[in-house]
Amino acid sequence: MTEYPESQSPSPQPSPNGWSTWPGASSATAPAPNFQQPGVYPPPPEFYEQAAQRPPVAPYPSGYAPYPYYPPQAQYPGPAGYPAYPMYPPYPAQQAAVATPEPDTRVRLFWPVVSAIVSFAVYAVAFGWQFGLGIMALLLVHEMGHFVVIRAKGMPAGLPTFIPLVGAFVTMRRSPSNARDEAEIALAGPLAGTIGGVVCLIAYWRTGLPVLIPLAYYSFLLNLLNLIPVPPLDGSRVTGAISKWIWLIGLVGVAIGAYMTHSLLLVILGVFGGYQLIRRFGESGSNYYKISLGSRIMLTLVYFGLAGVLAYATYMLQPLMGHVGGSF
């Protein structure tokens, strides 16, 4: 194909009858010899008679395909004062290489296993290997409740990581889509932990092993405390879908408890929870917290019902702790 400099572009050559003949056209696409373009619109009938004399356009050679058409929407940012350059998408053969990567759903074992070994060693030294093994199992049951529901909702999650004398946690690698999903994930842990405590009670009635009573008691107590509506506890995630005012009630309760017991743990929980609640209280009017009334009622019944069951079980097991507490 012949290219012309801009200053030497071909121009139509007028003919005596007012038509124009275009020179320099390719033989593959040029009209028949002496074919003339009309100088007016619409063209006269003779133009269409001459159009029948055009040779057919040569097809693409064998093994070649037409160049793809590129949409002009996306653009590279150009220098200041200059228009942006158009950005073209990759060829189809390259699209797979630049596709959006899938979320990482692998389950890593190193830190969960190492933290479990270290936590068990600390509990075994402090309370004996039987209680240490039992409390590790109950913490695992609680956290696996979170893990199973997270995975059931199609979100990636890591296995439980243990913190000696504090507890354990499961990491979510993607935020829930709404407050209902977050509340259901948060409730799954205390529900599983309550079942673990009930299993300890049943095992005690069947075997008489003394260590099972303290394990059941601490399972009920720890899951009850975990329902306090203050971050980062599960209760704050559940009550976020019920009413934001429950957060303030929980924070006031933690402040009173810290004042009366002088517990450093409650002080830290109050300070950290207060900071988190200020941020979440400002976000409570977003669409994230707008769920159906039926879902709100269901979460309210489950949350307060579970808290009542755990409080009653803890109260009923309190007298038994004095009888078996030092015998394991």
Side-chain angles (χ1 to χ4, degrees):
M1 182 177 64
T2 304
E3 295 183 359
Y4 294 89
E6 185 176 355
S7 59
Q8 301 178 12
S9 300
S11 57
Q13 299 176 0
S15 60
N17 57 4
W19 290 31
S20 299
T21 301
W22 292 84
S26 171
S27 61
T29 59
N34 301 323
F35 182 78
Q36 294 179 328
Q37 296 282 3
V40 295
Y41 185 86
E46 291 81 3
F47 171 76
Y48 297 101
E49 295 175 359
Q50 292 181 3
Q53 303 175 15
R54 299 180 185 177
V57 178
Y60 284 94
S62 177
Y64 291 85
Y67 291 105
Y69 293 99
Y70 297 112
Q73 293 86 354
Q75 291 185 338
Y76 290 112
Y82 290 87
Y85 297 102
M87 181 174 66
Y88 301 112
Y91 287 99
Q94 300 174 339
Q95 288 181 353
V98 298
T100 303
E102 294 293 330
D104 187 3
T105 58
R106 293 175 296 174
V107 177
R108 296 175 174 84
L109 297 176
F110 179 76
W111 286 114
V113 171
V114 171
S115 64
I117 294 174
V118 173
S119 295
F120 171 70
V122 172
Y123 288 126
V125 171
F127 308 107
W129 72 269
Q130 290 181 323
F131 185 83
L133 184 61
I135 200 67
M136 287 292 297
L138 290 172
L139 289 174
L140 179 63
V141 168
H142 176 104
E143 298 302 330
M144 287 305 294
H146 295 311
F147 180 85
V148 169
V149 176
I150 293 172
R151 284 303 183 101
K153 291 183 177 294
M155 296 184 295
L159 286 175
T161 302
F162 296 87
I163 304 176
L165 302 178
V166 175
F169 64 91
V170 168
T171 56
M172 288 190 296
R173 296 174 188 155
R174 195 176 69 204
S175 300
S177 58
N178 53 61
R180 176 184 174 178
D181 287 346
E182 183 181 9
E184 291 174 349
I185 292 171
L187 272 175
L191 282 171
T194 302
I195 295 173
V198 172
V199 170
C200 289
L201 276 181
I202 296 174
Y204 171 75
W205 294 333
R206 297 295 297 271
T207 65
L209 192 62
V211 72
L212 293 173
I213 288 295
L215 285 174
Y217 173 80
Y218 283 112
S219 178
F220 295 142
L221 178 62
L222 292 178
N223 283 282
L224 176 62
L225 295 177
N226 205 26
L227 289 178
I228 297 175
V230 175
L233 302 178
D234 292 331
S236 68
R237 303 183 183 276
V238 180
T239 54
I242 300 174
S243 175
K244 62 182 180 180
W245 300 106
I246 302 179
W247 293 339
L248 296 180
I249 297 174
L251 188 60
V252 170
V254 168
I256 295 174
Y259 175 76
M260 296 181 63
T261 62
H262 304 285
S263 171
L264 179 61
L265 183 60
L266 289 179
V267 172
I268 296 175
L269 179 63
V271 173
F272 180 77
Y275 171 76
Q276 291 292 321
L277 286 182
I278 291 174
R279 181 180 60 84
R280 298 190 67 179
F281 205 87
E283 299 172 352
S284 60
S286 64
N287 291 332
Y288 181 83
Y289 291 95
K290 294 180 180 179
I291 62 175
S292 65
L293 179 61
S295 299
R296 202 180 302 275
I297 293 174
M298 183 271 295
L299 292 172
T300 302
L301 294 176
V302 174
Y303 173 74
F304 287 102
L306 181 61
V309 169
L310 290 172
Y312 177 77
T314 303
Y315 174 76
M316 293 301 296
L317 288 181
Q318 181 67 39
L320 295 178
M321 290 294 294
H323 299 288
V324 299
S327 59
F328 63 93

